[in-house]
Amino acid sequence: MAKIVTFGEIMLRLKPEGYLRFFQNDKMEATFGGGEANVAVSLANFGMDTAFVTKLPDHDIGESAVRSLAYFGVDTSKISRGGDRVGIYYLETGASQRPSKVIYDRAGSSIASAGKGDFDWEDIFNGAEWFHFTGITPALGENVAELCEEACAEAKKQGLTVRCDLNFRKKLWSSEEACRVMGTLMRYVDVCIANEEDAEKVFGIKAEGTDVTGGKLNHDGYVSVARQLKERFGFKYVAVTLRTSISASDNKWAAMLSAENDTYFSKQYDVRIVDRVGGGDSFGAGLIYGLYSGMKDKDALEFAVAASCLKHSIEGDFNRVSVDEVKTLAEGDGSGRVQR
């Protein structure tokens, strides 16, 4: 299957064991993850030819990050090397009414200091058909936002389908900055993924009648959000993830897809959470796989939601599931019975 290119930052993830709080004991689990890297790994697990592009320091930690991707078959040949550090994020997993916490330590990372000479986008996109990035990457600095626009422009020049997950992060930039930068980048995008916070915080588009913290989601409000986004930017598809947070341990999970001629809502899953980080990325990867592989729009949506549902049961950023496992759940077998 044709190549999918993703561009962003992969970080070192440091996490206390299980549900312990920060430094409740003297151990931290060390893995790697990051929005676009997570998408690349999911797609590689689905059998797709996938490349991840970033910049990493030329030392042992940078090399370990590269190897964490290569293990799954992700093409790492276009990763630029240089700079001084790998970004870090600390994760404390919540439970019941105690929320999870993320603390970033990524200032001055290699990708945050990348410049125009680090990436040959014409070469990177040679033979590719899709390009994926998120709103996290341009939030790393004006220089990285410029790199995102260069990449998007070259991707459209070469006829790629461009997909973006808005992924607003208030710890990285303000709503005003996000609106200015993302408003420019959206003119290149064909497939947009957002949730109610992304649409409101970045573009001021609110899902009316929805109270996420109170567990109230209004379907008509989400249809309106998708319609406004499509009218404003000309997207071919808009997907909106629908998460109802009962607690840090239990969520209801579904999504909506606004396609060219119709709007679809997926089935809803009751999810007992092991690790929710990367849940949105696994949804995005599932949607890319479904649309690219020729599924009907509704089936692509159901595949994406099922893939993300399974990710919530897996520790770490990466979604370690196969196409068959996702299809089994999407087709109705969510019993969790032992398979022998």
Side-chain angles (χ1 to χ4, degrees):
M1 302 185 78
K3 186 166 63 179
I4 314 298
V5 176
T6 74
F7 172 57
E9 180 172 26
I10 184 169
M11 292 179 288
L12 176 64
R13 161 177 154 155
L14 297 177
K15 176 187 173 299
E17 296 175 313
Y19 297 99
L20 297 181
R21 306 214 68 180
F22 289 131
F23 298 105
Q24 189 172 340
N25 67 9
D26 59 357
K27 297 181 178 65
M28 284 274 196
E29 299 170 352
T31 54
F32 292 95
E36 296 87 352
N38 299 342
V39 169
V41 168
S42 281
L43 291 171
N45 282 333
F46 294 155
M48 303 191 80
D49 180 4
T50 309
F52 176 66
V53 179
T54 192
K55 185 175 183 179
L56 286 166
D58 190 13
H59 57 43
D60 289 351
I61 307 303
E63 182 60 26
S64 294
V66 171
R67 290 180 181 179
S68 74
L69 297 166
Y71 173 83
F72 294 96
V74 175
D75 179 0
T76 60
S77 64
K78 304 303 182 184
I79 292 178
S80 178
R81 303 305 286 266
D84 297 323
R85 68 181 300 242
V86 176
I88 300 171
Y89 85 90
Y90 300 87
L91 170 66
E92 180 183 281
T93 300
S96 190
Q97 277 66 50
R98 175 173 60 86
S100 296
K101 291 183 178 181
V102 171
I103 296 175
Y104 292 121
D105 176 17
R106 64 202 305 179
S109 66
S110 291
I111 185 63
S113 60
K116 292 186 176 182
D118 288 311
F119 307 105
D120 181 349
W121 295 113
E122 183 177 359
D123 176 63
I124 288 168
F125 291 135
N126 184 33
E129 292 196 24
W130 283 66
F131 173 54
H132 166 72
F133 72 104
T134 76
I136 298 171
T137 302
L140 299 177
E142 288 289 342
N143 56 314
V144 190
E146 291 173 4
L147 288 172
C148 285
E149 185 167 10
E150 288 178 6
C152 287
E154 182 61 32
K156 296 307 292 184
K157 180 180 177 181
Q158 293 196 32
L160 278 70
T161 298
V162 177
R163 209 215 73 167
C164 179
D165 190 330
L166 284 181
N167 269 356
F168 176 72
R169 295 291 186 268
K170 63 183 179 182
K171 292 184 178 180
L172 296 179
W173 59 357
S174 68
S175 292
E176 293 74 20
E177 291 172 312
C179 182
R180 174 179 59 83
V181 173
M182 297 306 292
T184 298
L185 295 175
M186 289 302 100
R187 62 181 176 172
Y188 301 101
V189 173
D190 303 290
V191 183
C192 178
I193 295 179
N195 61 28
E196 71 288 328
E197 182 182 25
D198 297 330
E200 181 178 2
K201 297 297 186 183
V202 179
F203 297 123
I205 299 174
K206 183 176 174 58
E208 297 296 338
T210 288
D211 178 8
V212 178
T213 58
K216 179 184 178 183
L217 302 184
N218 176 24
H219 281 195
D220 290 340
Y222 287 102
V223 172
S224 175
V225 166
R227 176 181 52 77
Q228 291 178 69
L229 286 170
K230 290 172 80 171
E231 289 175 351
R232 186 165 173 179
F233 298 109
F235 301 135
K236 183 176 180 181
Y237 290 97
V238 173
V240 180
T241 52
L242 309 174
R243 182 188 297 275
T244 305
S245 292
I246 309 303
S247 70
S249 302
D250 295 284
N251 285 184
K252 295 181 182 295
W253 181 245
M256 183 202 81
L257 180 65
S258 177
E260 289 184 280
N261 299 314
D262 211 340
T263 297
Y264 306 95
F265 286 87
S266 76
K267 69 181 72 172
Q268 180 174 266
Y269 294 92
D270 294 322
V271 179
R272 174 60 56 89
I273 296 173
V274 172
D275 190 336
R276 65 162 284 180
V277 177
D281 304 321
S282 58
F283 171 81
L287 189 61
I288 290 176
Y289 178 85
L291 294 176
Y292 182 83
S293 61
M295 293 182 187
K296 294 179 180 178
D297 292 338
K298 180 67 162 64
D299 294 335
L301 175 65
E302 295 291 357
F303 183 91
V305 174
S308 183
C309 179
L310 289 173
K311 166 61 193 76
H312 286 73
S313 72
I314 298 170
E315 291 188 351
D317 271 48
F318 299 155
N319 195 17
R320 300 166 181 256
V321 296
S322 68
V323 169
D324 286 344
E325 288 175 314
V326 177
K327 286 184 174 179
T328 295
L329 178 58
E331 291 167 4
D333 185 357
S335 65
R337 292 174 60 88
V338 175
Q339 296 181 356
R340 292 186 171 93

